[in-house]
Amino acid sequence: MSTSLERYTDRFEQYADRYPRVVDVVLVLALMGCATLGSNLTLPGADPPDQDGTAIVLMGVSCLALLKYRTHPRTAVVVTAVCTVIAISLGYLLTPLLLGPVMAALYWLATLTDRKTTRVFGVPTMAVLMVAAAISDSMDRVSLVLRTVGPFFWLLLPLAAGNMTRLRRAYLASVQTRAEHAERTREEEARLRVTEERMRIARELHDVVAHHMALANAQAGTAAHLALSNPQQTKKILTDLTGTTSSALRELKATLGLLRQNDDPAAASLEPSPGLARLPELVSACASAGLTVTVTTTGEPRPLSPGVDLTAFRIVQEALTNVTKHAAADAAHVRIAYAGSRLLITVSNDGPDTTGPTDTTDTTGPTGPTGPTGTTGTMGRTDVAEAVPSRGFGVMGMRERAHTIGGELRAGPRPEGGFEVTTALPLQPSAPQAAPETAPQAAVAATDVPAGGEES
């Protein structure tokens, strides 16, 4: 029953919001008819007042005042109360029909104003009308209790109904506000997730492309230089180049396949994510590009979670890529230490760095350790630094990867020369110790790399 009543109430309110003037005129005419009928009622055996038209005029004035209840609810209450008190003092019987205009004014007062205003205007109105009913000559045959209790309850009813309506509207407004806030929050969360996923994919693609393309560039340049002087070495380098490009294609295919994969359990499984177990393959690829990498492991190796294993491999891969692209050194050192619940990784090179404060474009050529002849068979590299207008994202990407699993990363030049990347990762991923850097913050962090820093 209450549900049906609320449904009809909602429909009436919607119609009233759409056609307010029509509803107001209809209500005022209905109240005018009720008040006119009420002015003709008398107690049994009592004579009606001599002023037959006075009540109609008074009720007409009070009903006209109700037309302004939307903008002046206080004025409507005062005018209807004054007109009703005058009618009672003239001898008209105080009935609910005669109280119709003032009851409507009190209802709209409680609906459109706050609780304090309702008390300030509602309580005096009830008191005045109760006093007028108590001293009215038209109710001499009725006891004083009935003369006062009746008007009290009739006037209290619209005030209570108006307060309930106001509270219900406030509740509905709060529910709508919460729904809108939840919708905005859901959209913002979705945008944030999309941004985070886009940054993760960009970071993964950067690691794959930058590493393999840097090695391929170094191998192709070395092969071109030795094509005439050392055909056997050239053939070996070109074979390694084929392996480098094939590895790049496999990792790109795995990454893009992950984006295309659906939730179908029958879908083909993807290649496992790379980890530290692939370090020998990475060392071999760097060696074919002229970079000798030594790997030292201390502590008792322990199993790593897939996320930590992938992060560790990508950091080592990116650091060696930066050495291949930007450093004039022919050797790099990777130190892996299992200490307590942390995995410590250090990647360093001993040679001086030839880059300036900005990123570089590499022109790689082969040299031997004693000069440009290359007669020793050891592949060296000469990196020609050329300033370009933009910086890379290598250090920024490594730092973001470490922060994602709750680790730390530092990168900078060594006091004795060269460059060093140090990271401490938890053996099991945990909440990030610091909030992941946003793009502007990461850009600032990237600019903090000193001159000659490693950046891809």
Side-chain angles (χ1 to χ4, degrees), residues 60-78:
V61 172
S62 63
C63 290
L64 290 177
L66 291 177
L67 292 175
K68 295 293 184 179
Y69 78 90
R70 295 181 186 273
T71 56
H72 301 84
R74 302 169 184 84
T75 304
V77 170
V78 173

Side-chain angles (χ1 to χ4, degrees), residues 331-353:
H333 310 281
V334 178
R335 290 181 291 276
I336 301 174
Y338 293 86
S341 61
R342 309 286 283 180
L343 174 65
L344 307 179
I345 300 176
T346 303
V347 182
S348 61
N349 62 279
D350 299 327
D353 207 309

Side-chain angles (χ1 to χ4, degrees), residues 134-200:
I135 63 176
S136 175
D137 296 336
S138 61
M139 304 182 69
D140 289 339
R141 300 180 182 180
V142 181
S143 65
L144 181 61
V145 175
L146 295 178
R147 279 187 285 177
T148 55
V149 170
F152 173 79
F153 282 106
W154 282 112
L155 295 175
L156 185 62
L157 180 63
L159 290 176
N163 282 325
M164 293 179 60
T165 302
R166 177 173 52 81
L167 294 175
R168 178 174 174 272
R169 290 179 180 177
Y171 171 75
L172 294 178
S174 65
V175 170
Q176 183 177 2
T177 301
R178 287 198 299 269
E180 293 174 355
H181 176 71
E183 184 68 22
R184 288 194 302 267
T185 304
R186 185 161 48 249
E187 293 176 357
E188 292 174 0
E189 183 179 357
R191 284 195 297 268
L192 179 60
R193 289 182 178 179
V194 170
T195 301
E196 292 177 350
E197 185 66 12
R198 179 169 55 83
M199 294 298 296
R200 187 189 67 81

Side-chain angles (χ1 to χ4, degrees), residues 311-337:
T311 299
F313 176 80
R314 289 304 188 197
I315 290 176
V316 174
Q317 182 187 57
E318 180 61 29
L320 293 178
T321 300
N322 289 337
V323 176
T324 304
K325 293 179 63 178
H326 303 302
D330 294 328
H333 310 281
V334 178
R335 290 181 291 276
I336 301 174

Side-chain angles (χ1 to χ4, degrees), residues 357 391-397 399 437 439-450 454-455:
R391 299 188 61 85
F393 299 96
V395 173
M396 180 179 68
R399 185 178 291 111
E437 294 171 334
Q441 293 172 336
V444 173
T447 59
D448 291 339
V449 178
E454 298 178 9
E455 188 71 66

Side-chain angles (χ1 to χ4, degrees), residues 403-407 429-434:
H403 285 174
T404 299
I405 61 172
S430 60
Q433 296 177 356

Side-chain angles (χ1 to χ4, degrees), residues 65 100 163 167 262 273 304 321 372 376:
N163 282 325
L167 294 175
N262 53 30
S273 300
L304 304 175
T321 300
T376 64

